[in-house]
Amino acid sequence: MKQSSKRLIVFLSFLTSAVITYAQSIVIPVETKQNALVLQVSAEKYLNIVYFGNKLTNKNEYNAIAQVYKADHNKSGYNSAYTTSGTRNLLEPAISVTHADGNMSLDLKYVSHKVTVINADVNLLSILLRDSLYNFEVVLNYQTYFNEDVTEQWSAITHHEKGDVVLNKYASANLYLQAGSYWLKHYHGEWAREMRPEEEQLNHGIKTLDSKLGSRADLFQPPSFMVSLNKPATENEGEVLFGNLEWSGNYRMDMEVDPSNNLRLIAGINNYSADYTLKPGTEFTTPKFVYTLSNEGKGRASRNLQTWARKYKIVDGEGPRLTLLNNWESTFFNFDEPKLASILKDTKDLGADLFLLDDGWFGNKYPRNDDHQGLGDWEANKAKLPDGIAFLTKTAQENGVKFGIWVEPEMVNPKSELYEKHPDWVVKQPQRPLIEMRNQLVLDLSNPKVQEYVFSIVDDLFTKNPSLAYIKWDCNSLMYNAYSANELHQSNFYTDYVFGLYHVLDKLRAKYPKVPMMLCSGGGGRVDYGALKYFTEYWPSDNTDPLERIFIQWEYSNFYPALTSSNHVTNWGKQPIKFRTDVAMMGKLGFDLVVSKLKPDELAYCKQAISIYKQFSEVIWHGDQYRLQDPWGNDFAAIVYVDQDKSKAIMFNYLVNNRYDAGSKMPVKLKGLQPDKNYAVKEINLFPGSKSTIKPATYTGNFLMKVGINPDVRDNRNSVIIAAEEVK
């Protein structure tokens, strides 16, 4: 039998099982391993959500769900799968438009649907909706990752009217949840204060999470959240929905408790100053909204997203990561070839894989000796690097390490050759004074010429330096005076800017598919799965104080896998180097300090730490993560990573309260182990000359998960790492 015939049989089989047709309606369950989002087509051809929760064993019972709810939402349209405006709906819409004739009503009805089997784990359901009067249609897409219990949802909008249509709102997803109460946990922040959590009960009215920053749009508030049903979920108990909009520009998420006490959740691009003019026959595809529902608390939801991200979203998510030494905090802008050659030697001596050259290596007419000039002029500075980047790649090879480089290609200093040549390439209002951030402006990525220029910056670095092994891609400016000399319709700009950025990154990844790239935006300014699909890792915060980082990295870990978190050991904070290094090991380890100024025992410790890290890195990068004790409200924090075979685990413990007698008084129960396996438990990564207070011993997984282990965290033992390895 031909492969195509086999695929057709699988497709038809899946379609038969996924769609249940009754005399009154069509029921479409969107199922993953544990959950089901159940869509129902009414007799009037409206597509509604009738259920979202644990899936039923008997699919035929999905049709009975709507009958057992007594609310009148089916008549009012509260539970629409993609809520329109201007007709029967009176609540917050997912989509609103202005037709070519000026009419602002929309009435989408079900036409058809199809299921595409992508592989044994992934299916795509596409549902066609069409307006009852205008030649306007929307395809709702639900891509399910069965084993991971993850769904990506987005819409594709087209029309064939006699003129342009304006999209006034164009969400990616519209969900409907039914519970007794709803608890939203979301995040706020600023530079060096990322991922500050807040939790509140959602009441009647609308709670909106949004960004209007244009670029670096996640700075004040990331597009990640969780909604608990009936009560706030704990790490291991409760029903909770995790969501993340895969978009690196302005976003908006509306959460509305409707008159029937159900929660309507609408997520997508922010329509603030962004009415989008759409030509006939052109498809507008919204960004994906990814979500997972867990009935085993926040920990299960996190592991769902982390597994999905490693497998399907992050670049080389199932591959290794490079340890590195960065020069920023050791030199800032003040360096030359001899100084960098010395740091390259330090990289080898330390045992790191790669040396990363940060800001300040470029600009000649306007040398980049501080952040006031030179940005945009990507030629090696002849005074600092007379032999160019080639000298550094050659020296790196001689030392047996790799070489990487910093770029910020989306930005420009007004004092630069690029700005002198192309002032029209910059985002600015033509009649208003410039507003700068960090002495720089944003390049207009809605302009194809600017897109080509930004691509060429990175492409030239690789072309001229084939051994270049790493890119740190920065983005430090917000978008003021939003205006594009390239756009006919200015309200298209905010959206087209991000499409332009993604076009550049698509082109780079097509040519350099697996080169490691760090997503850096002065911290969390662009940590979202829309950008992360192009990167191997992200920079959580410029705040590298290890005590602060415990809290920042803890909250990021709800949504992103450990191998994506770039954690550097620096001189920030008052903690000893062991504490700083241990915290950085909970992810992708790097160093940003003057190696030559380390004391002999500190240097010996750092070398040892890298060696131990490499022994356990596979567990940290690709294992299951269990947050054991929250740093908020406790004396110490604890987190463990367990490999897929449940044969190896590494547990990190940190004192976060320095008050008198603070520490671990009780054992911490581990998770994720196999109960009937025996594990040798011992403390690792001790500072030279110190002794562990934990006696090496062997315990069953059952003991470690029901009784636990006390890491003896306290003053003078403020950072403790414990390893558990199967005894065979």
Side-chain angles (χ1 to χ4, degrees), residues 335-337 360-369 377-389 417:
F335 56 80
D336 55 20
E337 285 183 355
W361 59 267
F362 51 90
N364 285 298
K365 181 178 179 181
Y366 301 105
R368 182 72 168 175
N369 296 322
D377 302 341
W378 299 100
E379 295 179 350
N381 180 272
K382 294 177 181 177
K384 295 179 183 179
L385 300 172
D387 297 311
I389 301 301
E417 291 184 80

Side-chain angles (χ1 to χ4, degrees), residues 201-338:
Q201 184 173 1
L202 292 170
N203 295 305
H204 292 90
I206 299 178
K207 172 75 175 184
T208 297
L209 308 178
D210 76 340
S211 171
K212 303 180 182 72
L213 305 183
S215 58
R216 202 182 173 193
D218 302 353
L219 178 62
F220 297 158
Q221 184 166 261
S224 305
F225 66 90
M226 56 185 82
V227 173
S228 300
L229 307 184
N230 299 311
K231 62 180 181 180
T234 67
E235 195 65 29
N236 304 303
E237 295 181 347
E239 193 169 10
V240 61
L241 174 78
F242 277 31
N244 181 288
L245 186 69
E246 300 179 32
W247 182 247
S248 306
N250 295 346
Y251 66 86
R252 173 175 169 177
M253 289 177 282
D254 298 314
M255 298 173 194
E256 180 177 20
V257 179
D258 71 17
S260 295
N261 301 315
N262 300 305
L263 179 63
R264 306 174 67 253
L265 194 161
I266 298 170
I269 294 173
N270 198 337
N271 56 330
Y272 161 77
S273 295
D275 292 337
Y276 199 89
T277 301
L278 188 65
K279 295 183 179 301
T282 302
E283 182 176 274
F284 182 93
T285 303
T286 67
K288 295 176 179 177
F289 175 65
V290 61
Y291 54 90
T292 184
L293 182 67
S294 163
N295 65 353
E296 299 175 25
K298 296 182 288 185
R300 169 58 60 193
S302 290
R303 290 187 290 279
N304 289 348
L305 278 181
Q306 291 163 359
T307 303
W308 164 80
R310 289 192 300 263
K311 192 172 181 180
Y312 293 108
K313 187 60 59 170
I314 303 297
V315 175
D316 199 21
E318 296 183 297
R321 293 296 185 265
L322 298 168
T323 57
L324 62 80
L325 176 63
N326 193 10
N327 73 300
W328 178 244
E329 294 199 15
S330 62
T331 69
F332 296 101
F333 294 98
N334 182 26
F335 56 80
D336 55 20
E337 285 183 355

